[in-house]
Amino acid sequence: MTKKKLTLFVDADACPVLIKEEIMSFQKALSDAETIFVASYAHMSTTFRQAKWVMVDSEKEEADLYIHRHTKKGDIAITQDYGLASLLLPKGVFVLSPRGKRYTEENISTLLHTRYLASKSRRAGKHTKGPRKFTGDDRVQFREALIKILSNYEGDYFYLSKL
């Protein structure tokens, strides 16, 4: 019986460069997996040329739609978008934020509701804080969370022998 090929999709439009670097550091260890960075033409980058890039139209949500259409059960998606995460979870996709937060069926409703309340508050003219500055600790947390997800896929031996 052959194991399904793992695909890691990255919502690259808003993904910090440090996290893209972290993902690329896994490439050699993930020889049987494919990593796909999805970005709009408006966010085209010449960095990470060794990675597979899919460029989509600059229309709102195009990268999200591509990721949603192409993911399958057991894939991994990296995104900051709660809406995209909520669409991927029922498909059996592991979803992780660039800060290492794992989106789950248990926490996504709360996250979406919090986003809705913040949006409602902004429409009413209230000022809300943006996200805190991305830190090295966020990078470490992301790496640890990704290793945890990958260990479910490959087993602990994978990490001891390849990372």
Side-chain angles (χ1 to χ4, degrees), residues 4-19:
K4 175 188 91 58
K5 183 177 180 175
L6 172 70
T7 306
L8 188 131
F9 288 88
V10 181
D11 185 355
D13 283 345
C15 186
V17 171
L18 290 175
I19 295 305

Side-chain angles (χ1 to χ4, degrees), residues 57-73:
D57 286 337
S58 296
E59 297 296 317
K60 188 174 173 32
E61 313 300 337
E62 284 296 320
D64 298 347
L65 291 170
Y66 180 91
I67 292 169
H68 180 258
R69 281 191 305 267
H70 290 86
T71 51
K72 57 195 171 310
K73 183 177 182 173

Side-chain angles (χ1 to χ4, degrees), residues 87-129:
L87 295 172
L88 297 176
L89 289 170
K91 292 177 72 173
V93 175
F94 295 99
V95 188
L96 190 62
S97 82
R99 294 181 189 271
K101 180 172 183 64
R102 174 100 182 264
Y103 301 117
T104 65
E105 293 286 351
E106 291 76 30
N107 69 13
I108 197 66
S109 292
T110 302
L111 294 169
L112 287 167
H113 186 68
T114 302
R115 180 183 75 172
Y116 165 75
L117 292 175
S119 176
K120 186 176 175 181
S121 182
R122 283 190 302 275
R123 282 193 309 270
K126 295 188 175 126
H127 176 71
T128 59
K129 289 185 179 180

Side-chain angles (χ1 to χ4, degrees), residues 6-73:
L6 172 70
T7 306
L8 188 131
F9 288 88
V10 181
D11 185 355
D13 283 345
C15 186
V17 171
L18 290 175
I19 295 305
K20 290 174 186 166
E21 289 171 355
E22 199 63 52
I23 292 165
M24 291 306 298
S25 75
F26 283 87
Q27 280 306 109
K28 287 184 183 174
L30 294 172
S31 58
D32 65 334
E34 181 176 31
T35 300
I36 302 172
F37 290 90
V38 182
S40 70
Y41 287 109
H43 294 97
M44 189 183 300
S45 171
T46 58
T47 313
F48 310 112
R49 289 184 185 174
Q50 68 277 27
K52 178 174 180 179
W53 283 82
V54 172
M55 304 308 295
V56 296
D57 286 337
S58 296
E59 297 296 317
K60 188 174 173 32
E61 313 300 337
E62 284 296 320
D64 298 347
L65 291 170
Y66 180 91
I67 292 169
H68 180 258
R69 281 191 305 267
H70 290 86
T71 51
K72 57 195 171 310
K73 183 177 182 173

